[in-house]
Amino acid sequence: GCTHCCYHYVAVSLAQGILIADYLYKRKALLKQFIDNYETWREGGEAISDSIDGIRIQALRSAVPTDQIMADTRSLSKQYLDNHVACPFLANEKCFIYEVRPMSCSSHHSVSPPDFCAPGSQQKPVIRNSMPGDEDLIEMIQLADPRLTLYELTLPTMVYHLLTKGSSAIMTEVMQHELT
């Protein structure tokens, strides 16, 4: 019942985005729910997300080290959380893409009572993150195809672009980023 993590900025790789878009295509009611929720998300989360995505894309073009990208985007990620914008995949306090949720979402676990996660709660939840640390993440990124793992966008933005443009258009964008 805890949705504390569903208000964090979450980026996904192109590979994860394709998996989620495919999941939605096979479940039309969930696809419609996402599109409906996406408009609300855009009002509160798109501007900050675009700023973070812009920093990441520009850094990839100029070969900025991954640890620098992380440092440059941390304050914006905190600002996103402070705005308390719900993930557009959240409905009735549940994640409707839970089976294919991004790795960053599946790595958070609360060890506090669910009421600690309620907005306005005086007690804050204790969240354990089973994600690898920054150094391990950097090593994992270096081992994978950069076009599928380093090119990341905000979760809702990536999925929306995949649904409206298609993966081939996004791959064209990725290759253009590599050339500029």
Side-chain angles (χ1 to χ4, degrees), residues 5-12 32-54 76-77 79-81 83-91 96 152-161:
C5 299
C6 302
Y7 293 85
H8 284 260
Y9 168 84
V10 173
V12 295
K32 182 182 180 328
Q33 180 75 54
F34 169 71
I35 297 300
D36 291 346
N37 292 353
Y38 183 76
E39 289 306 315
T40 302
W41 173 85
R42 284 177 96 165
E43 293 172 18
E46 186 175 50
I48 295 171
S49 296
D50 285 351
S51 295
I52 295 170
D53 293 345
L76 287 169
S77 295
Q79 183 182 353
Y80 184 95
L81 178 63
N83 283 356
H84 202 68
V85 179
C87 174
F89 294 107
L90 186 64
F96 61 82
E152 290 186 329
L153 293 175
T154 305
L155 170 61
T157 302
M158 176 69 83
V159 173
Y160 187 80
H161 286 190

Side-chain angles (χ1 to χ4, degrees), residues 14 147-148 166-176:
L14 181 54
R147 291 174 299 181
L148 293 178
S167 59
S168 61
I170 293 177
M171 282 304 293
T172 300
E173 289 176 20
V174 171
M175 288 190 206
Q176 287 174 346

Side-chain angles (χ1 to χ4, degrees), residues 1-73:
C2 177
T3 60
H4 176 75
C5 299
C6 302
Y7 293 85
H8 284 260
Y9 168 84
V10 173
V12 295
S13 66
L14 181 54
Q16 288 177 323
I18 290 170
L19 179 69
I20 294 166
D22 182 63
Y23 183 84
L24 292 175
Y25 275 130
K26 294 174 182 171
R27 293 156 182 85
K28 299 299 183 201
L30 297 182
L31 175 60
K32 182 182 180 328
Q33 180 75 54
F34 169 71
I35 297 300
D36 291 346
N37 292 353
Y38 183 76
E39 289 306 315
T40 302
W41 173 85
R42 284 177 96 165
E43 293 172 18
E46 186 175 50
I48 295 171
S49 296
D50 285 351
S51 295
I52 295 170
D53 293 345
I55 290 170
R56 289 174 177 227
I57 290 168
Q58 184 59 40
L60 288 173
R61 285 182 185 163
S62 58
V64 171
T66 304
D67 58 339
Q68 184 62 47
I69 298 169
M70 291 174 178
D72 291 345
T73 58

Side-chain angles (χ1 to χ4, degrees), residues 67-131:
D67 58 339
Q68 184 62 47
I69 298 169
M70 291 174 178
D72 291 345
T73 58
R74 287 212 197 276
S75 65
L76 287 169
S77 295
K78 179 168 179 356
Q79 183 182 353
Y80 184 95
L81 178 63
D82 291 345
N83 283 356
H84 202 68
V85 179
C87 174
F89 294 107
L90 186 64
N92 301 319
E93 300 297 308
K94 292 184 180 179
C95 175
F96 61 82
I97 60 163
Y98 190 82
E99 292 81 9
V100 293
R101 68 196 183 280
M103 183 172 50
S104 56
C105 296
S106 65
S107 69
H108 289 84
H109 307 280
S110 176
V111 293
S112 302
D115 57 320
F116 284 20
C117 296
S121 172
Q122 296 300 321
Q123 299 196 0
K124 296 302 174 197
V126 176
I127 305 294
R128 301 283 186 233
N129 187 348
S130 59
M131 276 287 279

